[in-house]
Amino acid sequence: MRILLVQPSRWSPDGHANLGAAETLLAGAPPADLVVLPELAGSRLPPEEYLERLRGLAARTGAVVVGGSHYTPGGTGTVNRGLAVSPGGEVLAEYGKAHPYGVERRDGVVPAPAGVGFEVGGRRVRVLLCADLWYSGSLAGPPADVVVVPAFSVTQWPTPGPARSLWQHMSVARAYEFMTYVAVCDWHHEADYHGQPCAGVTGLANPSPADGAGFFTARPSAVAAYELDFERLGSFRRNRADRSFAFTK
C-alpha cells in the first residue's frame, strides 16, 4: 500500500482555500491507495461542501481520501469531525476528535465519537484526530494495520523541535505497542492556528524497520509518499506472539 501525507505550508480559515491547496500539491504526486490531509483542512465548511470537495479530490487522485477534519455543529456544541471517502464517492467512515485540546475547548468544541475503522485493499485503517493519539485507549477494539493521524500540532514551545520530538516518540510507542504503522499528517511548521505555531510532525512510525533504525521517518516534502510493507508487519506480529506478547487479529 502506498500512502501520501499532504503537508500544506499555510492554514486558512477558508476551508475551500485549504482543500484547493491540497489539490494543487497532489496534482503531480505519484499514484496512491490512501491520501491523508491534515486536521482542519476543511476549517468550518458546511458538511455538504466539505463532502463535495473530498469526493472531487478522491476522484482525481483515484485514492481513498482521509479528509483531515472540519468543525461542524453537533450535540451540545461544535465537534471536530472528518470523513474518509472512496474514489467512487462512497463515505467509508466518519470519525471525530474525542479529546479536544486547549484552544478548541475554549472555543466550545466538545468531544465527538472517535468512529470505527474502514478497509483499503483488505487492510484495516483507523483514524485518530491529533491529540487522540496521546490516549492509548483510543486504539481499543479491533487491531488496525495502519493508524492515520490528521494533526494540527500547535505547540507552546518557542521552536518546533521539542514538540516534534515528543510526537515522534509517541508515534513510535503506539506503533510498537499496537503492532501497526502510524502515519501522522500535519501542517508545515510555518503554519499557525489563531497565533499558535505548528510543530510540523508529518511522518511514518514503523514498528519493525528493516535496518533496525528509522523507527520514525519524516520527509521534507509537501506530499510525502510511504510504502507500507504488510508482509514484514505480519512477520513482526508473529515474532512478538512467539515471545508471548499478546495480539489478536
Side-chain angles (χ1 to χ4, degrees):
M1 177 188 290
R2 178 182 290 158
I3 181 171
L4 301 181
L5 307 179
V6 184
Q7 183 178 226
S9 60
R10 293 284 189 275
W11 178 80
S12 170
D14 178 1
H16 285 299
N18 295 328
L19 295 173
E23 290 172 359
T24 299
L25 293 175
L26 285 163
D33 303 288
L34 188 63
V35 169
V36 187
L37 305 184
E39 183 182 21
L40 294 181
S43 189
R44 293 184 181 271
L45 284 181
E48 62 277 6
E49 295 180 29
Y50 173 69
L51 176 56
E52 181 182 5
R53 293 301 299 263
L54 296 188
R55 281 176 167 159
L57 186 57
R60 278 187 286 277
T61 60
V64 172
V65 171
V66 175
S69 69
H70 69 140
Y71 287 139
T72 185
T76 59
T78 299
V79 295
N80 188 346
R81 63 182 285 275
L83 300 172
V85 179
S86 76
E90 178 188 2
V91 175
L92 301 178
E94 178 178 341
Y95 50 86
K97 193 171 187 178
H99 301 92
Y101 174 79
V103 66
E104 288 186 308
R105 286 192 173 275
R106 294 194 294 273
D107 286 347
V109 177
V110 298
V116 297
F118 58 97
E119 288 193 358
V120 176
R123 296 295 177 177
R124 188 75 176 169
V125 181
R126 285 283 303 274
V127 183
L128 299 181
L129 278 176
C130 200
D132 287 354
L133 179 68
W134 294 72
Y135 298 83
S136 60
S138 299
L139 287 170
D145 296 304
V146 55
V147 176
V148 297
V149 186
F152 203 146
S153 61
V154 294
T155 176
Q156 300 178 73
W157 294 89
T159 60
R164 191 179 296 165
S165 180
L166 284 169
W167 268 92
Q168 291 176 358
H169 285 297
M170 179 60 70
S171 299
V172 172
R174 293 286 178 261
Y176 199 83
E177 178 183 3
F178 291 96
M179 292 172 275
T180 183
Y181 290 105
V182 175
V184 182
C185 183
D186 196 10
W187 297 86
H188 191 271
H189 73 83
E190 294 178 355
D192 70 272
Y193 182 75
H194 297 304
Q196 291 190 266
C198 183
V201 298
T202 297
L204 180 75
N206 180 349
S208 181
D211 59 1
F215 283 93
F216 190 94
T217 304
R219 295 186 174 139
S221 172
V223 179
Y226 295 91
E227 301 286 345
L228 307 186
D229 185 346
F230 291 115
E231 183 175 336
R232 183 172 180 82
L233 182 65
S235 296
F236 170 68
R237 290 170 169 175
R238 290 189 293 274
N239 177 268
R240 291 203 70 193
D242 289 344
R243 293 185 292 133
S244 301
F245 289 93
F247 180 76
T248 301
K249 184 173 174 63

